[in-house]
Coordinates of all heavy atoms in Angstrom, one line a residue:
L22 N 33.6 -11.2 -67.4 CA 32.9 -10.9 -68.6 C 32.7 -9.3 -68.6 O 32.4 -8.7 -67.7 CB 31.5 -11.5 -68.5 CG 31.3 -13.0 -68.7 CD1 29.9 -13.4 -68.4 CD2 31.8 -13.4 -70.0
D23 N 32.9 -8.8 -69.8 CA 32.7 -7.4 -70.1 C 31.2 -7.2 -70.3 O 30.4 -8.1 -70.5 CB 33.5 -6.9 -71.3 CG 35.0 -6.9 -71.0 OD1 35.4 -6.7 -69.9 OD2 35.7 -7.2 -72.0
E24 N 30.8 -5.9 -70.3 CA 29.4 -5.6 -70.5 C 29.0 -6.1 -71.9 O 29.7 -5.9 -72.9 CB 29.2 -4.1 -70.4 CG 27.8 -3.6 -70.6 CD 26.8 -4.0 -69.5 OE1 27.2 -4.5 -68.4 OE2 25.6 -3.8 -69.7
D25 N 27.8 -6.7 -72.1 CA 27.2 -7.2 -73.3 C 28.1 -8.3 -73.9 O 28.2 -8.4 -75.1 CB 27.0 -6.1 -74.3 CG 25.8 -5.2 -73.9 OD1 25.0 -5.6 -73.1 OD2 25.8 -4.0 -74.3
E26 N 28.7 -9.1 -73.0 CA 29.5 -10.2 -73.5 C 28.8 -11.5 -73.0 O 28.2 -11.5 -71.9 CB 30.9 -10.2 -72.9 CG 31.8 -11.3 -73.4 CD 33.2 -11.1 -72.9 OE1 33.5 -10.3 -72.0 OE2 34.1 -12.0 -73.3
V27 N 29.0 -12.6 -73.7 CA 28.4 -13.9 -73.4 C 29.4 -15.0 -73.6 O 30.2 -14.9 -74.5 CB 27.1 -14.2 -74.2 CG1 27.3 -14.2 -75.6 CG2 26.4 -15.4 -73.7
V28 N 29.4 -16.0 -72.7 CA 30.2 -17.2 -72.9 C 29.4 -18.4 -72.6 O 28.4 -18.4 -71.9 CB 31.5 -17.1 -72.0 CG1 32.4 -16.0 -72.3 CG2 31.1 -17.1 -70.5
G29 N 29.8 -19.5 -73.2 CA 29.1 -20.7 -73.0 C 30.0 -21.7 -72.2 O 31.2 -21.6 -72.2
A30 N 29.3 -22.6 -71.5 CA 30.0 -23.6 -70.7 C 29.1 -24.8 -70.6 O 27.9 -24.7 -70.8 CB 30.3 -23.0 -69.3
E31 N 29.8 -25.9 -70.2 CA 29.0 -27.1 -69.9 C 29.2 -27.4 -68.5 O 30.3 -27.6 -68.0 CB 29.4 -28.3 -70.8 CG 28.5 -29.4 -70.7 CD 28.7 -30.5 -71.8 OE1 28.9 -30.0 -73.0 OE2 28.7 -31.7 -71.5
I32 N 28.0 -27.5 -67.8 CA 28.0 -27.8 -66.3 C 27.2 -29.0 -66.1 O 26.0 -29.0 -66.4 CB 27.5 -26.6 -65.5 CG1 28.3 -25.3 -65.8 CG2 27.5 -26.9 -64.0 CD1 27.6 -24.0 -65.3
A33 N 27.8 -30.0 -65.5 CA 27.1 -31.3 -65.2 C 26.4 -31.8 -66.5 O 25.2 -32.2 -66.4 CB 26.2 -31.1 -64.1
G34 N 27.0 -31.7 -67.6 CA 26.4 -32.2 -68.9 C 25.4 -31.3 -69.5 O 24.8 -31.6 -70.5
K35 N 25.1 -30.1 -68.9 CA 24.1 -29.1 -69.4 C 24.8 -27.9 -70.0 O 25.7 -27.4 -69.5 CB 23.2 -28.7 -68.2 CG 22.1 -27.9 -68.7 CD 21.0 -28.0 -67.6 CE 19.7 -27.4 -68.1 NZ 19.1 -28.0 -69.2
K36 N 24.4 -27.6 -71.2 CA 24.9 -26.4 -71.9 C 24.3 -25.1 -71.4 O 23.1 -24.9 -71.4 CB 24.7 -26.5 -73.4 CG 25.4 -27.6 -74.1 CD 25.2 -27.7 -75.6 CE 25.8 -28.8 -76.3 NZ 27.0 -29.3 -75.8
I37 N 25.1 -24.3 -70.8 CA 24.7 -23.0 -70.1 C 25.4 -21.9 -70.8 O 26.6 -22.0 -71.2 CB 25.1 -23.1 -68.6 CG1 24.5 -24.3 -67.9 CG2 24.7 -21.8 -67.9 CD1 23.0 -24.2 -67.8
A38 N 24.8 -20.7 -70.8 CA 25.4 -19.5 -71.3 C 25.3 -18.5 -70.1 O 24.3 -18.5 -69.3 CB 24.7 -18.9 -72.5
V39 N 26.4 -17.7 -69.9 CA 26.4 -16.7 -68.9 C 26.7 -15.4 -69.6 O 27.6 -15.3 -70.5 CB 27.5 -17.0 -67.9 CG1 27.6 -15.8 -66.9 CG2 27.2 -18.3 -67.2
A40 N 25.9 -14.4 -69.3 CA 26.0 -13.1 -70.0 C 26.0 -12.0 -69.0 O 25.4 -12.1 -67.9 CB 24.9 -12.8 -71.0
R41 N 26.8 -10.9 -69.3 CA 26.7 -9.7 -68.5 C 26.1 -8.6 -69.4 O 26.6 -8.3 -70.5 CB 28.1 -9.2 -68.0 CG 28.0 -8.0 -67.1 CD 29.4 -7.5 -66.7 NE 30.2 -8.5 -66.0 CZ 30.2 -8.9 -64.7 NH1 29.3 -8.3 -63.9 NH2 31.0 -9.8 -64.3
T42 N 25.0 -8.1 -68.9 CA 24.3 -7.0 -69.6 C 23.6 -6.1 -68.6 O 23.1 -6.6 -67.5 CB 23.4 -7.5 -70.7 OG1 22.8 -6.4 -71.4 CG2 22.3 -8.4 -70.2
Q43 N 23.5 -4.8 -68.9 CA 22.8 -3.9 -68.0 C 23.4 -4.0 -66.6 O 22.7 -3.8 -65.6 CB 21.3 -4.1 -68.0 CG 20.7 -3.8 -69.3 CD 19.2 -4.0 -69.4 OE1 18.7 -4.8 -68.7 NE2 18.6 -3.1 -70.1
G44 N 24.7 -4.2 -66.5 CA 25.4 -4.3 -65.2 C 25.2 -5.5 -64.3 O 25.6 -5.5 -63.2
A45 N 24.5 -6.5 -64.9 CA 24.2 -7.7 -64.1 C 24.6 -9.0 -64.8 O 24.8 -8.9 -66.0 CB 22.7 -7.7 -63.7
L46 N 24.8 -10.1 -64.1 CA 25.1 -11.4 -64.7 C 23.8 -12.2 -64.8 O 22.9 -12.1 -63.9 CB 26.0 -12.2 -63.8 CG 27.5 -11.8 -63.9 CD1 28.3 -12.7 -62.8 CD2 28.0 -12.1 -65.3
F47 N 23.7 -12.9 -65.9 CA 22.6 -13.8 -66.1 C 23.1 -15.1 -66.6 O 24.0 -15.2 -67.4 CB 21.6 -13.2 -67.2 CG 21.1 -11.8 -66.8 CD1 21.7 -10.7 -67.2 CD2 20.0 -11.7 -65.9 CE1 21.2 -9.4 -66.8 CE2 19.5 -10.5 -65.5 CZ 20.1 -9.3 -66.0
A48 N 22.4 -16.2 -66.2 CA 22.7 -17.6 -66.7 C 21.4 -18.2 -67.2 O 20.4 -18.1 -66.7 CB 23.3 -18.4 -65.6
F49 N 21.6 -18.9 -68.4 CA 20.4 -19.4 -69.0 C 20.8 -20.6 -70.0 O 22.0 -20.7 -70.2 CB 19.6 -18.4 -69.8 CG 20.5 -17.4 -70.6 CD1 21.0 -17.7 -71.9 CD2 20.8 -16.2 -70.1 CE1 21.8 -16.9 -72.6 CE2 21.7 -15.3 -70.7 CZ 22.1 -15.6 -72.0
D50 N 19.9 -21.4 -70.4 CA 20.2 -22.4 -71.4 C 20.9 -21.8 -72.6 O 20.6 -20.8 -73.1 CB 18.9 -23.1 -71.9 CG 18.3 -24.1 -70.8 OD1 19.1 -24.5 -69.9 OD2 17.2 -24.5 -71.0
N51 N 21.9 -22.6 -73.1 CA 22.7 -22.1 -74.2 C 22.2 -22.5 -75.5 O 22.7 -22.1 -76.5 CB 24.2 -22.6 -74.0 CG 25.1 -21.8 -74.9 OD1 24.8 -20.8 -75.5 ND2 26.3 -22.4 -75.0
V52 N 21.1 -23.3 -75.6 CA 20.6 -23.8 -76.8 C 19.2 -23.2 -77.1 O 18.3 -23.2 -76.3 CB 20.4 -25.4 -76.8 CG1 19.8 -25.9 -78.1 CG2 21.8 -26.0 -76.5
C53 N 19.1 -22.6 -78.3 CA 17.9 -21.9 -78.7 C 16.7 -23.0 -78.8 O 16.9 -24.1 -79.2 CB 18.1 -21.3 -80.1 SG 16.6 -20.4 -80.7
T54 N 15.5 -22.6 -78.4 CA 14.4 -23.4 -78.4 C 13.8 -23.6 -79.8 O 12.9 -24.5 -80.0 CB 13.3 -22.9 -77.4 OG1 13.0 -21.6 -77.7 CG2 13.8 -23.0 -76.0
H55 N 14.1 -22.7 -80.7 CA 13.5 -22.7 -82.0 C 14.2 -23.8 -82.9 O 13.6 -24.6 -83.5 CB 13.6 -21.4 -82.7 CG 13.3 -21.3 -84.1 ND1 14.2 -21.1 -85.1 CD2 12.1 -21.5 -84.8 CE1 13.6 -21.2 -86.3 NE2 12.3 -21.4 -86.1
Q56 N 15.5 -23.7 -83.0 CA 16.3 -24.6 -83.8 C 17.7 -24.7 -83.1 O 18.1 -23.7 -82.6 CB 16.4 -24.2 -85.2 CG 16.8 -25.2 -86.2 CD 16.6 -24.8 -87.6 OE1 16.4 -23.6 -87.9 NE2 16.8 -25.7 -88.5
Y57 N 18.4 -25.8 -83.2 CA 19.6 -25.9 -82.5 C 20.6 -24.9 -82.9 O 21.1 -24.8 -84.1 CB 20.2 -27.3 -82.7 CG 21.4 -27.5 -81.8 CD1 21.2 -28.1 -80.5 CD2 22.7 -27.1 -82.1 CE1 22.3 -28.3 -79.7 CE2 23.8 -27.3 -81.3 CZ 23.6 -27.9 -80.0 OH 24.6 -28.0 -79.2
A58 N 21.0 -24.0 -82.0 CA 22.0 -23.0 -82.2 C 22.5 -22.6 -80.8 O 21.6 -22.6 -79.9 CB 21.5 -21.8 -82.9
L59 N 23.7 -22.4 -80.6 CA 24.3 -21.9 -79.3 C 24.1 -20.4 -79.2 O 24.6 -19.6 -80.0 CB 25.7 -22.3 -79.2 CG 26.0 -23.8 -79.2 CD1 27.5 -24.0 -79.1 CD2 25.3 -24.5 -78.1
L60 N 23.4 -20.1 -78.1 CA 23.1 -18.7 -77.9 C 24.4 -17.9 -77.5 O 24.5 -16.7 -77.8 CB 22.1 -18.5 -76.7 CG 20.7 -19.0 -77.1 CD1 19.8 -18.9 -75.9 CD2 20.1 -18.3 -78.3
S61 N 25.4 -18.6 -77.0 CA 26.7 -18.0 -76.7 C 27.4 -17.5 -78.0 O 28.4 -16.8 -77.9 CB 27.6 -18.9 -75.9 OG 27.8 -20.1 -76.6
D62 N 26.9 -17.9 -79.1 CA 27.5 -17.4 -80.4 C 26.7 -16.2 -80.9 O 26.9 -15.7 -81.9 CB 27.4 -18.5 -81.5 CG 28.4 -19.6 -81.2 OD1 29.4 -19.4 -80.5 OD2 28.1 -20.8 -81.7
G63 N 25.7 -15.8 -80.1 CA 24.8 -14.7 -80.5 C 25.3 -13.4 -79.9 O 26.4 -13.2 -79.5
F64 N 24.4 -12.4 -79.9 CA 24.7 -11.0 -79.5 C 23.9 -10.7 -78.3 O 22.7 -10.9 -78.2 CB 24.4 -10.1 -80.6 CG 25.2 -10.4 -81.9 CD1 24.6 -11.1 -82.9 CD2 26.5 -9.9 -82.0 CE1 25.4 -11.4 -84.0 CE2 27.2 -10.2 -83.1 CZ 26.7 -11.0 -84.1
V65 N 24.5 -10.0 -77.3 CA 23.8 -9.5 -76.1 C 23.7 -8.0 -76.2 O 24.7 -7.3 -76.5 CB 24.7 -9.9 -74.8 CG1 24.0 -9.3 -73.6 CG2 24.8 -11.4 -74.8
E66 N 22.5 -7.5 -75.9 CA 22.3 -6.1 -75.9 C 21.1 -5.7 -75.2 O 20.0 -6.4 -75.4 CB 22.2 -5.6 -77.4 CG 22.2 -4.1 -77.5 CD 22.1 -3.6 -79.0 OE1 21.3 -4.1 -79.7 OE2 23.0 -2.8 -79.3
D67 N 21.1 -4.7 -74.4 CA 20.0 -4.2 -73.7 C 19.2 -5.2 -72.9 O 17.9 -5.3 -73.0 CB 19.0 -3.4 -74.6 CG 19.7 -2.2 -75.2 OD1 20.5 -1.6 -74.5 OD2 19.4 -1.9 -76.4
G68 N 19.9 -6.2 -72.3 CA 19.2 -7.2 -71.5 C 18.6 -8.3 -72.3 O 17.9 -9.1 -71.7
T69 N 19.0 -8.5 -73.6 CA 18.5 -9.6 -74.4 C 19.7 -10.3 -75.0 O 20.8 -9.8 -75.2 CB 17.6 -9.1 -75.5 OG1 18.3 -8.3 -76.4 CG2 16.4 -8.3 -75.0
I70 N 19.4 -11.6 -75.4 CA 20.4 -12.4 -76.1 C 19.7 -12.7 -77.5 O 18.5 -13.1 -77.5 CB 20.8 -13.6 -75.4 CG1 21.8 -14.5 -76.2 CG2 19.6 -14.5 -75.0 CD1 23.2 -14.0 -76.1
E71 N 20.4 -12.5 -78.6 CA 19.9 -12.8 -79.9 C 20.5 -14.0 -80.4 O 21.7 -14.2 -80.5 CB 20.2 -11.6 -80.8 CG 19.6 -11.8 -82.2 CD 20.0 -10.6 -83.1 OE1 19.2 -9.6 -83.1 OE2 21.0 -10.7 -83.8
C72 N 19.7 -15.0 -80.9 CA 20.1 -16.2 -81.5 C 20.8 -15.9 -82.8 O 20.4 -15.1 -83.6 CB 18.9 -17.1 -81.7 SG 19.4 -18.7 -82.5
P73 N 22.0 -16.5 -83.0 CA 22.8 -16.3 -84.2 C 22.2 -16.9 -85.5 O 22.5 -16.5 -86.6 CB 24.1 -16.9 -83.9 CG 23.8 -18.0 -83.0 CD 22.7 -17.5 -82.1
L74 N 21.2 -17.8 -85.3 CA 20.7 -18.5 -86.5 C 19.6 -17.8 -87.2 O 19.6 -17.5 -88.3 CB 20.2 -19.9 -86.0 CG 19.9 -20.9 -87.2 CD1 21.1 -21.1 -88.1 CD2 19.5 -22.2 -86.6
H75 N 18.5 -17.4 -86.4 CA 17.4 -16.7 -87.0 C 17.0 -15.4 -86.3 O 15.9 -14.9 -86.5 CB 16.1 -17.6 -87.0 CG 16.3 -18.8 -87.9 ND1 16.4 -20.1 -87.4 CD2 16.4 -18.9 -89.2 CE1 16.5 -21.0 -88.4 NE2 16.6 -20.3 -89.5
Q76 N 17.9 -14.9 -85.5 CA 17.8 -13.6 -84.9 C 16.6 -13.4 -83.9 O 16.2 -12.3 -83.6 CB 17.8 -12.4 -85.9 CG 19.1 -12.2 -86.6 CD 19.5 -13.3 -87.6 OE1 18.6 -13.7 -88.4 NE2 20.6 -13.9 -87.5
G77 N 16.1 -14.5 -83.4 CA 15.1 -14.4 -82.4 C 15.7 -13.9 -81.1 O 16.9 -14.2 -80.9
K78 N 15.0 -13.2 -80.2 CA 15.6 -12.7 -79.0 C 14.9 -13.2 -77.8 O 13.7 -13.4 -77.8 CB 15.5 -11.1 -79.0 CG 16.4 -10.5 -80.0 CD 16.3 -9.0 -79.8 CE 17.3 -8.3 -80.8 NZ 17.3 -6.8 -80.6
F79 N 15.7 -13.5 -76.8 CA 15.2 -13.9 -75.4 C 15.6 -12.8 -74.4 O 16.7 -12.2 -74.5 CB 15.9 -15.2 -75.0 CG 15.6 -16.4 -75.9 CD1 16.5 -16.7 -76.9 CD2 14.5 -17.1 -75.7 CE1 16.2 -17.8 -77.7 CE2 14.2 -18.2 -76.5 CZ 15.1 -18.6 -77.5
E80 N 14.8 -12.6 -73.4 CA 15.1 -11.7 -72.3 C 16.0 -12.5 -71.4 O 15.7 -13.6 -70.9 CB 13.8 -11.3 -71.6 CG 14.0 -10.3 -70.6 CD 12.7 -9.8 -70.0 OE1 12.1 -10.5 -69.1 OE2 12.2 -8.7 -70.4
C81 N 17.2 -11.9 -71.1 CA 18.2 -12.6 -70.3 C 17.7 -12.9 -68.8 O 18.0 -13.9 -68.3 CB 19.5 -11.8 -70.2 SG 20.4 -11.7 -71.8
A82 N 16.9 -12.0 -68.3 CA 16.5 -12.1 -66.9 C 15.4 -13.1 -66.7 O 15.4 -13.8 -65.6 CB 16.0 -10.7 -66.3
T83 N 14.6 -13.3 -67.7 CA 13.4 -14.2 -67.5 C 13.4 -15.4 -68.4 O 12.7 -16.4 -68.2 CB 12.1 -13.5 -67.7 OG1 12.0 -13.1 -69.1 CG2 12.0 -12.3 -66.8
G84 N 14.2 -15.3 -69.5 CA 14.2 -16.4 -70.6 C 13.0 -16.3 -71.5 O 12.9 -17.1 -72.4
K85 N 12.2 -15.2 -71.4 CA 11.0 -15.1 -72.2 C 11.4 -14.9 -73.7 O 12.3 -14.1 -74.0 CB 10.2 -13.9 -71.7 CG 9.0 -13.6 -72.5 CD 8.3 -12.4 -72.0 CE 7.1 -12.1 -72.9 NZ 6.4 -10.8 -72.4
A86 N 10.7 -15.6 -74.6 CA 10.9 -15.4 -76.0 C 10.2 -14.1 -76.4 O 9.1 -13.8 -76.1 CB 10.3 -16.5 -76.8
L87 N 11.0 -13.2 -77.1 CA 10.5 -11.8 -77.3 C 10.0 -11.6 -78.7 O 9.3 -10.6 -79.0 CB 11.6 -10.8 -77.0 CG 12.1 -10.8 -75.6 CD1 13.2 -9.8 -75.4 CD2 10.9 -10.4 -74.7
C88 N 10.3 -12.5 -79.7 CA 9.9 -12.2 -81.1 C 10.0 -13.5 -81.9 O 10.6 -14.5 -81.5 CB 10.7 -11.1 -81.7 SG 12.5 -11.5 -81.9
A89 N 9.3 -13.5 -83.1 CA 9.4 -14.6 -84.0 C 10.8 -14.8 -84.5 O 11.6 -13.8 -84.5 CB 8.4 -14.3 -85.2
P90 N 11.2 -16.0 -84.8 CA 10.4 -17.2 -84.9 C 10.3 -17.9 -83.6 O 9.8 -19.1 -83.6 CB 11.2 -18.0 -85.9 CG 12.6 -17.7 -85.6 CD 12.6 -16.2 -85.3
L91 N 10.7 -17.3 -82.5 CA 10.6 -18.0 -81.2 C 9.2 -18.2 -80.6 O 8.4 -17.2 -80.7 CB 11.5 -17.3 -80.2 CG 12.9 -17.0 -80.5 CD1 13.6 -16.1 -79.5 CD2 13.7 -18.3 -80.8
T92 N 8.9 -19.3 -80.1 CA 7.6 -19.5 -79.5 C 7.7 -20.0 -78.1 O 6.7 -20.0 -77.3 CB 6.7 -20.5 -80.3 OG1 7.4 -21.8 -80.4 CG2 6.4 -20.0 -81.7
Q93 N 8.9 -20.4 -77.7 CA 9.1 -21.0 -76.3 C 10.4 -20.3 -75.7 O 11.4 -20.1 -76.4 CB 9.3 -22.5 -76.5 CG 9.5 -23.2 -75.1 CD 9.7 -24.7 -75.3 OE1 9.5 -25.2 -76.4 NE2 10.2 -25.3 -74.3
G94 N 10.3 -20.0 -74.5 CA 11.4 -19.4 -73.8 C 12.4 -20.4 -73.4 O 12.3 -21.6 -73.7
I95 N 13.5 -19.9 -72.7 CA 14.6 -20.7 -72.2 C 14.6 -20.7 -70.7 O 14.1 -19.7 -70.1 CB 16.0 -20.2 -72.8 CG1 16.2 -18.8 -72.5 CG2 16.1 -20.6 -74.3 CD1 17.5 -18.2 -72.9
A96 N 15.2 -21.7 -70.1 CA 15.3 -21.8 -68.7 C 16.4 -20.8 -68.2 O 17.4 -20.6 -68.9 CB 15.7 -23.2 -68.2
V97 N 16.2 -20.1 -67.1 CA 17.2 -19.2 -66.5 C 17.6 -19.8 -65.2 O 16.8 -20.6 -64.5 CB 16.7 -17.8 -66.4 CG1 16.4 -17.2 -67.7 CG2 15.5 -17.7 -65.5
Y98 N 18.8 -19.5 -64.7 CA 19.3 -20.0 -63.5 C 19.9 -18.9 -62.6 O 20.3 -17.9 -63.1 CB 20.5 -21.0 -63.8 CG 20.0 -22.1 -64.8 CD1 20.3 -22.0 -66.1 CD2 19.2 -23.2 -64.3 CE1 19.9 -23.0 -67.0 CE2 18.8 -24.1 -65.2 CZ 19.1 -24.0 -66.6 OH 18.6 -25.0 -67.5
R99 N 19.9 -19.2 -61.3 CA 20.5 -18.2 -60.4 C 22.0 -18.2 -60.6 O 22.6 -19.2 -60.8 CB 20.2 -18.6 -58.9 CG 18.7 -18.5 -58.6 CD 18.4 -18.9 -57.2 NE 19.2 -18.0 -56.3 CZ 19.1 -18.0 -55.0 NH1 18.2 -18.8 -54.4 NH2 19.8 -17.2 -54.3
V100 N 22.6 -17.0 -60.6 CA 24.0 -16.9 -60.8 C 24.5 -15.8 -59.9 O 23.8 -14.9 -59.5 CB 24.2 -16.5 -62.3 CG1 23.6 -15.2 -62.7 CG2 25.7 -16.5 -62.6
R101 N 25.8 -16.0 -59.5 CA 26.4 -14.9 -58.7 C 27.9 -15.0 -59.0 O 28.5 -15.9 -59.5 CB 26.2 -15.1 -57.2 CG 26.9 -16.3 -56.6 CD 26.5 -16.5 -55.1 NE 27.2 -17.6 -54.5 CZ 28.0 -17.4 -53.5 NH1 28.1 -16.3 -52.8 NH2 28.6 -18.5 -53.0
E102 N 28.5 -13.8 -58.7 CA 30.0 -13.7 -58.8 C 30.6 -13.6 -57.5 O 30.1 -12.9 -56.6 CB 30.3 -12.4 -59.6 CG 31.7 -12.3 -60.1 CD 31.9 -11.2 -61.1 OE1 30.9 -10.3 -61.2 OE2 33.0 -11.1 -61.6
D103 N 31.6 -14.5 -57.2 CA 32.3 -14.5 -55.9 C 33.8 -14.5 -56.2 O 34.4 -15.5 -56.7 CB 31.9 -15.8 -55.2 CG 32.5 -15.9 -53.8 OD1 32.9 -14.8 -53.2 OD2 32.5 -17.0 -53.3
G104 N 34.4 -13.4 -55.9 CA 35.9 -13.3 -56.0 C 36.3 -13.4 -57.5 O 37.4 -14.0 -57.7
G105 N 35.5 -12.9 -58.4 CA 35.9 -13.0 -59.8 C 35.5 -14.4 -60.5 O 35.7 -14.5 -61.7
R106 N 34.9 -15.3 -59.7 CA 34.4 -16.5 -60.3 C 32.9 -16.5 -60.4 O 32.2 -16.0 -59.5 CB 34.8 -17.7 -59.4 CG 36.3 -17.9 -59.3 CD 36.6 -19.1 -58.5 NE 36.0 -20.2 -59.0 CZ 36.6 -21.3 -59.4 NH1 37.9 -21.4 -59.3 NH2 36.0 -22.4 -59.9
V107 N 32.4 -17.0 -61.5 CA 30.9 -17.1 -61.7 C 30.4 -18.4 -61.2 O 31.0 -19.5 -61.6 CB 30.6 -16.9 -63.2 CG1 29.1 -17.1 -63.4 CG2 31.1 -15.5 -63.6
Q108 N 29.4 -18.4 -60.4 CA 28.7 -19.6 -59.9 C 27.3 -19.7 -60.4 O 26.5 -18.7 -60.2 CB 28.8 -19.6 -58.4 CG 30.2 -19.7 -57.8 CD 30.3 -19.6 -56.3 OE1 29.3 -19.1 -55.7 NE2 31.4 -20.0 -55.7
V109 N 26.9 -20.8 -61.0 CA 25.6 -21.0 -61.5 C 24.9 -22.1 -60.7 O 25.5 -23.2 -60.5 CB 25.6 -21.4 -63.0 CG1 24.2 -21.6 -63.5 CG2 26.3 -20.3 -63.8
E110 N 23.7 -21.8 -60.2 CA 22.9 -22.8 -59.4 C 22.0 -23.5 -60.4 O 21.0 -22.9 -60.9 CB 22.1 -22.1 -58.3 CG 21.4 -23.1 -57.4 CD 20.6 -22.4 -56.4 OE1 21.2 -21.4 -55.8 OE2 19.5 -22.7 -56.1
L111 N 22.2 -24.8 -60.5 CA 21.3 -25.7 -61.4 C 20.3 -26.4 -60.5 O 20.7 -26.8 -59.3 CB 22.1 -26.6 -62.2 CG 23.1 -26.0 -63.2 CD1 23.9 -27.1 -63.9 CD2 22.3 -25.2 -64.2
P112 N 19.1 -26.7 -61.0 CA 18.2 -27.5 -60.2 C 18.6 -28.9 -59.9 O 19.4 -29.4 -60.6 CB 16.9 -27.5 -61.1 CG 17.3 -27.0 -62.4 CD 18.7 -26.4 -62.3

């Protein structure tokens, strides 16, 4: 992944997004908590992911909802890169 790029994947039936921003990798739920939209279709910038539907923003590191219309955050997951492969740890 390039800087400020996001991709979606399905892991064990769960929709996950992985983003690289501010020089780090982040993994989080790929579905917006406000209304169904894939965050991997949104924009990553300055450590945040913006939902493509209503432009609400989540913090990539914590999943915290940062602005309206969002009222609930998203789950985040441990992620690491090993030999060019991204590994996400799910509960």
Side-chain angles (χ1 to χ4, degrees):
L22 290 173
D23 291 328
E24 183 69 12
D25 292 335
E26 185 178 4
V27 60
V28 296
E31 190 164 317
I32 303 171
K35 187 155 190 65
K36 292 181 184 330
I37 303 294
V39 177
R41 184 183 304 276
T42 184
Q43 297 182 321
L46 279 177
F47 300 95
F49 42 85
D50 283 342
N51 195 13
V52 178
C53 182
T54 56
H55 170 249
Q56 196 169 12
Y57 189 91
L59 294 178
L60 297 175
S61 58
D62 291 335
F64 300 96
V65 178
E66 185 177 55
D67 297 329
T69 65
I70 179 82
E71 182 180 276
C72 177
L74 192 58
H75 293 114
Q76 290 71 52
K78 290 186 179 182
F79 297 96
E80 188 174 79
C81 292
T83 66
K85 180 181 177 183
L87 298 175
C88 61
L91 305 174
T92 59
Q93 182 179 348
I95 53 175
V97 296
Y98 306 100
R99 292 180 60 172
V100 63
R101 71 184 185 124
E102 191 170 10
D103 183 21
R106 295 182 59 120
V107 174
Q108 298 175 337
V109 177
E110 183 180 317
L111 297 178

